[in-house]
Amino acid sequence: MPIEISPSPENPHRFQRRGFSCERAIKYFFASNAGLTLVILLLIIVFLLKEGLGFFPGYRRELEIYRIAGLEFVDISRKNLTAHEQLSSVLNRAYFAQINGQCARELKRSQEAAAVFNAFSDQTSATRELIANHEATGMDRGSEMLATLNNNHACQKQKALDSLPLTPHLSDTERAELIESIRARDVTTVGDPPLVTALAQQYASAQQQCAMPIAEWRSVIDSFEAAGADLSALVTEMTDAVTTTKEAIQNNDILENDRKSLLAAAANAKDPSERQKLMAEARDSLAEKPDIEGPMQSLMLRKPDCIATHAALRQACEGILAMLPPSLSQSDANRLLLAARKASPLFLEALTGTSQQITQWRHDKPVPLSDSIRSFLTGKDWVTGGAWQDFYGILPLLAGSLMISMVALCLAIPAGVGAAIYINQFASPVEQAVVKPVIEFIAAIPSVVLGFIGILIFGTILRDLSQLDGLAWVPGFPIEERLNIFTAGCLLALMSIPTIFSLAEDALNNVPAAFSEASDALGASRIQTTFRVIIPAAFSGILAAVLLGLGRVIGETMVVLLVAGNRIKIPDFSAGLGTFFQPSHTLTGIIAQELGEVPLGSVHYRALFVVGILLFAVVLGINATAHKFVNRTTN
Amino acid sequence: MVTDLTETTSNSETTAIEIRDLSFAYHEKPALHEITLDIPARQITAFIGPSGCGKSTLLRCFNRINDRIPGAHLTAGTIHIHGIEINRPDIDLQELRRRVGMVFQKYNPFKKSIYENVVFSLRLAGIHQRSALDDSAEMALQSAALWDEVKDRLHSSALGLSGGQQQRLCIARAIANQPDILLMDEPCAALDPTATLKIEELLHQLKEQYTIVIVTHNMAQATRCADLTAFLYLGKLIEIGPTLEIFSTPKDPKTLSYISGSFG
């Protein structure tokens, strides 16, 4: 029950508050600081939503144009054409893998000899050309200039000869012979050293020899490639037609928008004459409705043509694919062949289904808003800035982000939590004093600098290592791309280890000493106390540490942009562990890379904001979960 | 400060712990001075004295739990438990602590179920047969007079029990492994009077089987429970004797002034 307050007397009681005290001012100052952070967070959310939510209607209109202009129709055929091209590329790769695998020795010998000679030429050719030029211009043979150049050339030659690359596949005599022939060269010698030429010839003849027994197969591949020609011609022809329609519709959209803003300006204008002028301008800019129906009619006339071409392609391919050899002797080639065998029934099935798809396709089927949301969330393509059609599908980016985080966590959890357990439970005070600051220092390294380390160590050196013959048994080796998911994962692991370590160590530290004392008093050894009492008690804290580490990993931008390889494609999971050595792009990376280049307010610009919203939601979720676990520990 | 009890020592049948000239220090700061004392088997011995007099330090020497504290070390003297010097370098600390159980001032059950708390020491020893664990758990909980209260919820969290129950659970945990000696460091300091009374009743039952050494601040508790009482002051043993004698006819004036409440 509130106490009734009597009107304030002239001289208040000394218990009553008077005026505005300094203490209250200080309190309000701090309250406003705390309030500011809330306001900023609110602003971030509001602006993200404001910019992002406009994406879906815009994208819907793009998808609508995609349909009414007929691009979608052409893409039905184009999809099959791409599948056909991919399949023939796989077959070709298998073919060459087989040949190169069989004459790997010749290939390596030839490459090594050429590498030695190239290393030599790279260092000496500049001076050599200078000398040649001088002689061509008829300079005095005894001139001082020429003497200096000749001297330089000799020095460079010696230096180059001292630092030639290794040649593990050449015998010592061959290497000596090669070096001798290089040493014997003077300024005027042209052509390759005899050994280089000989080895190249050996390689070429070995290639021919290996190709002989599989010549039949070559013709199978060639006929498969040729079978796609009709479809290719058809797609090209239709592409031109629909692109014109699309441009017309887009231009009309732009004019229409202009007209609307003119009308809006006219409605707001105060001066009647001004208004008249704006209205007239708007009337003038009334564009003619572009002709959609005409081109569409002619496109629809191609339907039977399309169906016939597909049926023909299917028939041809079915026969050809049945002639593939059952297996190949080289493991790489065999893997590719198996991939092709696995893909071919799917390809044929897709071809079969196409005719129905083509018959059922209608250009006037409406595109609801939910289509644009679905296309964003489940789209497998993120294609932007292309002449054909932009797609904003989140899956390739999400897959990249998740796989990189997975690699990072797989490495960082054992390292971070393990280090925390060791430092907290087993380390001597000296070790503690050294290791803790060092690990925490890693967090202070700017991520761009870490990126350099990543490119150099995890990228270049790892790739070079993976190409050693002795390491070929490691799954995923040899690595083709220097910058890939694994590289980025390693670096992110390095970045998240300090977070995980510090928080996990805190969690272990917060376990009351009474627990370990009780455990000791019951006769537990150090290891038993650690694993049976301390870690279970700190478990939720450790989990929270891992989650906060994950939040750091998902949100990290600079490192992934530098070292993830930035290829926007869902990784090819058929490669097994090799999947982790493919380049990829991420949610954060795409925003950083593209936001500076897109036109303000365009659909692409808004798409990046939606990616930002998604990222924001994911990190918020992770942090909220982590917070829950932290609370559970402290209670 | 050797008391007149010295002549009754060196009988290992009836003496559980023999302490001779024990001095102890934390870093450079001495905590115990030349303590000589025998603790009889299957009796309750109470250590009393003002805060900081070293009674807990002395108790914690018996299972060498003081080793956990950096800088804590024995400076002189010996402790024999069942005839063996426990500060020898080749002592198996884990085995020693299995033989000498301990209950702490603040009840500290693990964040596990009641059952898992009790069988913790057995699991440490590598016993995994369900039946053996079940039997030991029931035995220990009955000895700790807790069985009837928890038998229906053995697998719920130990932290859901009341303070007194948690402390009795800690006693059950300490005796599940059937130690010879039970050390209790102010076991009732964090409990209310009812719970304290229950623990004291329990002590009377337990002394049939175990040698109990208890540190207490509460002189009434010492008179109620202990057979022998030792008074420590400033790291020295002032006086030890049968509890009734100590409280009725103390020999040392310091003891008299402490038990009459003039300091402490």
Side-chain angles (χ1 to χ4, degrees), chain A residues 611-632:
Chain A
V611 174
I613 293 174
L614 192 77
L615 205 57
F616 184 80
V618 168
V619 175
L620 200 69
I622 291 173
N623 276 295
T625 321
H627 211 73
K628 232 168 79 184
F629 281 117
V630 171
N631 282 346
R632 197 182 289 175

Side-chain angles (χ1 to χ4, degrees), chain A residues 458-629:
Chain A
F458 291 112
T460 311
I461 296 184
L462 194 69
R463 189 192 52 181
D464 292 351
L465 265 181
S466 79
Q467 278 158 353
L468 293 181
D469 293 347
L471 287 175
W473 54 270
V474 179
F477 276 18
I479 302 168
E480 282 158 30
E481 303 284 346
R482 192 163 58 105
L483 303 177
N484 54 44
I485 293 175
F486 184 74
T487 322
C490 286
L491 278 192
L492 288 187
L494 198 59
M495 295 186 66
S496 59
I497 282 174
T499 312
I500 295 181
F501 169 82
S502 302
L503 293 169
E505 218 256 342
D506 284 352
L508 291 168
N509 236 351
N510 285 342
V511 175
F515 284 171
S516 62
E517 198 172 40
S519 169
D520 275 1
L522 288 166
S525 66
R526 197 67 205 249
I527 297 261
Q528 283 173 326
T529 302
T530 305
F531 284 94
R532 290 176 189 236
V533 176
I534 309 274
I535 294 178
F539 188 73
S540 43
I542 293 175
L543 210 60
V546 169
L547 281 174
L548 288 173
L550 175 67
R552 167 108 212 242
V553 164
I554 290 217
E556 171 56 37
T557 308
M558 203 62 233
V559 160
V560 293
L561 199 59
L562 281 174
V563 300
N566 299 352
R567 183 173 73 184
I568 309 173
K569 193 177 166 227
I570 296 182
D572 171 19
F573 292 103
S574 67
L577 279 179
T579 312
F580 291 105
F581 296 110
Q582 292 170 5
S584 168
H585 216 313
T586 56
L587 294 171
T588 47
I590 200 90
I591 299 178
Q593 190 178 20
E594 295 184 348
L595 196 58
E597 296 165 4
V598 295
L600 209 68
S602 66
V603 175
H604 186 182
Y605 170 83
R606 293 183 190 283
L608 294 176
F609 270 86
V610 181
V611 174
I613 293 174
L614 192 77
L615 205 57
F616 184 80
V618 168
V619 175
L620 200 69
I622 291 173
N623 276 295
T625 321
H627 211 73
K628 232 168 79 184
F629 281 117

Side-chain angles (χ1 to χ4, degrees), chain A residues 513-526 528-529 532-533 536-537 632-633 635, chain B residues 60 63 65 68 94 97-98 100-102 104 108-112 120-121 123-124 173-174 177:
Chain A
F515 284 171
S516 62
E517 198 172 40
S519 169
D520 275 1
L522 288 166
S525 66
R526 197 67 205 249
Q528 283 173 326
T529 302
R532 290 176 189 236
V533 176
R632 197 182 289 175
T633 329
N635 287 344
Chain B
R60 293 163 64 95
N63 65 348
I65 198 92
R68 286 171 52 87
Q94 272 114 54
R97 287 169 184 169
R98 265 177 229 137
V100 184
M102 187 162 191
F104 296 87
N108 53 0
F110 302 128
K111 279 187 190 170
K112 299 172 187 278
F120 184 80
S121 60
R123 288 204 192 276
L124 291 182
R173 184 175 67 184
N177 211 17

Side-chain angles (χ1 to χ4, degrees), chain A residues 15 28 86 114 189 240 258 263 269 313 392 586 595 620:
Chain A
F15 285 180
Y28 286 134
Q86 275 172 355
T189 320
D240 292 341
D258 286 353
L263 282 177
L313 178 64
Y392 305 99
T586 56
L595 196 58
L620 200 69

Side-chain angles (χ1 to χ4, degrees), chain B residues 87-144:
Chain B
N87 286 300
R88 286 162 57 143
D90 61 346
I91 281 289
D92 178 355
L93 266 189
Q94 272 114 54
E95 186 53 33
L96 170 70
R97 287 169 184 169
R98 265 177 229 137
R99 308 293 1 127
V100 184
M102 187 162 191
V103 175
F104 296 87
Q105 174 176 3
K106 174 77 180 137
Y107 42 85
N108 53 0
F110 302 128
K111 279 187 190 170
K112 299 172 187 278
S113 67
I114 294 169
Y115 180 84
E116 284 303 324
N117 262 286
V118 178
V119 301
F120 184 80
S121 60
L122 300 163
R123 288 204 192 276
L124 291 182
I127 299 170
H128 293 299
Q129 300 116 308
R130 193 76 200 176
S131 58
L133 293 179
D134 285 351
D135 290 349
S136 301
E138 187 177 343
M139 180 282 297
L141 285 169
Q142 290 211 336
S143 304

